[in-house]
Amino acid sequence: MMLSGKIVFITGATAGFGLACAKLFVSHGAKVVASGRRADRLDELQKELGGAVHVVMLDVRDKAAVEKAIASLPAAFSKIDILINNAGLALGLEPYEKQKLDDVETMVETNINGVLYCTHALLPGMIARNGGHIVNLSSIAGTYPYPGGNVYGATKAFITQFSLNLRADLLGKNIRVTNIEPGMCDTEFSTVRFRGDASKAESVYAGMQPLSAEDIANTILWTVTQPAHVNINRVEIMPTQQAFSPFAVHREKKN
Ligand code: NDP
Ligand code: 8X3
């Protein structure tokens, strides 16, 4: 099996990409540390995947909790080979001046701080063992701006640049870093963004075929199963039915 003997730490494994990765990686022989905030979802996953998974209730915004969770992993799950920094969210699609600062802080704390804390806690072990792979979930929103993307897009731009800079730091240490940059993908992402408004979330994907969480899990699996000398730096991936459009131009009305 492709991932036999590998231990994978996934943040945000209770839904979407993280959940799909947990299931796919276990099916390929990995042992998975699955983390997230929702205990009921973690319990379900534990029941479904059994001894191949160790679940940890964890809010990645909490620096002390991240350090404690990682320091207290059971021995069989403690030597992490692959970290998937996946936990993240967008809140709102309003122009910045209308965004609630509480939501802004939640995005920054989750999408940026969470990645910084988990990476900082797990990297020394990878360096000591002279091997590892960090996979960060950025987004096309980190490269291409769109109205209402303001802070969410900026947090993802941070992740893209952090991934590339980590590569520079880690040269010679046999640790790979991959930045995954998906476009529209039908998970709980839009339901969270629109604060539980399911019909608004559904309308995002109406009449087109978005990516699925499994598409992203398969892509991540591909990046982590390349030969050790191959580092996939970035993967930008969109639905076929999503593409680019011209720059927007504001034109003054003629009298
Ligand atoms: P989902 O909403 O389906 O899943 C998000 C996961 O993140 C959940 O498991 C949630 O678990 C977890 N999470 C959120 N906040 C925290 C927190 N503070 N601490 C720990 N876990 C947290 O979204 P996706 O699977 O779509 O998104 C995964 C990642 O991919 C995100 O970083 C997102 O920005 C990115 N992405 C998504 C795209 C999309 O279109 N869907 C496209 C590009 C990137 P819980 O609530 O249990 O804590
Ligand atoms: C999620 C993709 O385009 O909705 O990161 O921002 S997008």
Side-chain angles (χ1 to χ4, degrees):
M1 296 228 264
M2 276 196 289
L3 290 174
S4 161
K6 298 285 182 200
I7 305 177
V8 187
F9 190 105
I10 305 174
T11 66
T14 54
F17 304 166
L19 179 60
C21 282
K23 292 180 181 179
L24 184 68
F25 280 40
V26 165
S27 78
H28 284 281
K31 287 203 289 187
V32 167
V33 180
S35 68
R37 292 168 302 174
R38 282 171 285 182
D40 54 336
R41 300 265 185 114
L42 293 171
D43 288 348
E44 266 173 48
L45 194 60
Q46 180 78 75
K47 277 188 203 127
E48 184 179 339
L49 299 180
V53 76
H54 172 73
V55 298
V56 178
M57 204 165 99
L58 180 63
D59 185 330
V60 295
R61 295 171 295 176
D62 184 338
K63 181 170 57 176
V66 168
E67 286 168 355
K68 192 171 166 212
I70 289 170
S72 48
L73 286 171
F77 287 88
S78 65
K79 294 187 175 63
I80 305 298
D81 298 291
I82 301 166
L83 164 62
I84 305 182
N85 277 315
N86 164 75
L89 78 175
L91 290 171
L93 196 58
E94 294 84 20
Y96 185 63
E97 73 279 8
K98 294 198 173 134
Q99 280 273 14
K100 293 193 188 82
L101 279 178
D102 283 351
D103 289 345
V104 166
E105 284 170 1
T106 300
M107 286 189 274
V108 169
E109 287 164 9
T110 311
N111 300 0
I112 297 181
N113 293 1
V115 172
L116 297 177
Y117 300 155
C118 293
T119 305
H120 199 263
L122 285 167
L123 204 43
M126 290 182 178
I127 293 171
R129 291 187 295 277
N130 192 37
H133 196 150
I134 297 168
V135 179
N136 291 332
L137 263 298
S138 178
S139 166
I140 58 164
T143 304
Y144 308 103
Y146 59 86
N150 45 68
V151 173
Y152 176 70
T155 65
K156 293 304 183 181
F158 179 98
I159 294 305
T160 297
Q161 201 60 17
F162 181 55
S163 298
L164 298 176
N165 277 297
L166 270 181
R167 285 229 62 224
D169 278 6
L170 290 167
L171 184 66
K173 294 199 163 56
N174 202 31
I175 296 172
R176 300 187 281 183
V177 184
T178 298
N179 198 57
I180 307 287
E181 305 167 27
M184 294 165 81
C185 184
D186 191 2
T187 59
E188 294 176 13
F189 177 84
S190 289
T191 309
V192 172
R193 170 170 249 173
F194 298 121
R195 300 174 184 88
D197 186 335
S199 69
K200 213 165 169 185
E202 263 171 40
S203 70
V204 173
Y205 311 108
M208 57 86 67
Q209 183 171 3
L211 300 171
S212 69
E214 289 70 29
D215 293 327
I216 302 304
N218 281 323
T219 303
I220 295 174
L221 179 68
W222 172 73
T223 67
V224 301
T225 52
Q226 293 305 299
H229 68 285
V230 177
N231 191 102
I232 307 296
N233 293 343
R234 305 173 67 159
V235 182
E236 186 178 288
I237 168 173
M238 279 178 172
T240 308
Q241 289 175 320
Q242 179 180 28
F244 314 97
S245 58
F247 284 119
V249 178
H250 172 75
R251 299 181 196 281
E252 301 294 340
K253 283 193 187 118
K254 283 189 185 154
N255 295 327

